[in-house]
């Protein structure tokens, strides 16, 4: 992986921890990286899910849903506070590709985590599995 632009030092440190969490398949320390008002933007939902608790729950769940998850490329914005991570994974028999767009604040906390996924069949498989696992919580989180 390579960065097209230098990340802000605090964002770079948080991103390194994120990669450690993913490699270990353990997001138990993720709350330390989340801003209390962090938001998650789902590829399946029109409205974002607000709050660190929602972001933590969603990301912990998706890590369990994805199989053969791997990051391939990283790109950063000129301000050093945003990164785009290209990934591939499987949900059941459906393969998918996607990007995680992560925005950090200047202290390195994640303030926004947005995901885009393709193809539609992979997105549908992901959406169905996430809905099955999280439907009650996600409905309440948007209210």
């Amino acid at each position: 992986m390579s960065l097209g632009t230098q990340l802000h030092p605090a964002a770079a440190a948080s991103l390194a921890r994120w990669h450690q969490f993913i490699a270990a398949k353990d997001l138990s320390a993720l709350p330390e990286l989340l801003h209390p008002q962090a938001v998650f933007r789902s590829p399946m939902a029109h409205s974002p899910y607000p709050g660190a608790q929602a972001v933590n729950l969603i990301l912990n769940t998706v890590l369990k849903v994805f199989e053969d998850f791997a990051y391939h490329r990283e790109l950063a914005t000129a301000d050093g506070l945003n990164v785009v991570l290209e990934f591939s994974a499987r949900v059941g028999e459906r393969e998918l590709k996607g990007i995680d767009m992560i925005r950090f604040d200047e202290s390195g906390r994640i303030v926004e985590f947005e995901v885009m996924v393709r193809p539609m069949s992979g997105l549908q498989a992901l959406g169905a599995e996430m809905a099955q696992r999280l439907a009650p919580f996600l409905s309440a989180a948007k209210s």
Side-chain angles (χ1 to χ4, degrees):
M1 283 185 253
S2 63
L3 290 173
T5 301
Q6 191 72 20
L7 277 177
H8 183 282
S14 292
L15 182 61
R17 288 191 66 204
W18 170 257
H19 282 302
Q20 291 169 351
F21 298 165
I22 295 300
K25 295 184 175 145
D26 180 5
L27 297 182
S28 59
L30 178 60
E32 298 168 17
L33 295 184
L34 298 174
H35 188 280
Q37 280 80 47
V39 296
F40 182 85
R41 297 185 186 281
S42 166
M44 292 294 294
H46 175 68
S47 301
Y49 295 97
Q53 181 182 2
V55 176
N56 184 49
L57 179 62
I58 292 165
L59 291 174
N60 269 278
T61 303
V62 81
L63 188 62
K64 294 172 187 158
V65 169
F66 279 160
E67 300 170 55
D68 301 327
F69 181 85
Y71 281 121
H72 305 289
R73 288 188 289 176
E74 296 182 0
L75 303 166
T77 57
D79 68 2
L81 295 173
N82 297 272
V83 65
V84 176
L85 308 174
E86 177 191 14
F87 67 86
S88 62
R90 238 179 356 92
V91 177
E93 294 182 13
R94 300 289 181 194
E95 294 183 8
L96 56 88
K97 289 199 62 131
I99 57 171
D100 291 335
M101 295 184 290
I102 306 170
R103 184 167 56 92
F104 299 93
D105 66 12
E106 291 192 357
S107 66
R109 293 184 299 175
I110 295 170
V111 294
E112 185 174 5
F113 199 110
E114 184 170 359
V115 179
M116 294 186 184
V117 172
R118 64 165 297 278
M120 181 65 84
S121 60
L123 178 59
Q124 289 169 329
L126 175 60
E129 188 63 33
M130 292 296 287
Q132 180 179 342
R133 295 177 188 225
L134 294 178
F137 174 79
L138 295 180
S139 293
K142 283 191 159 188
S143 305

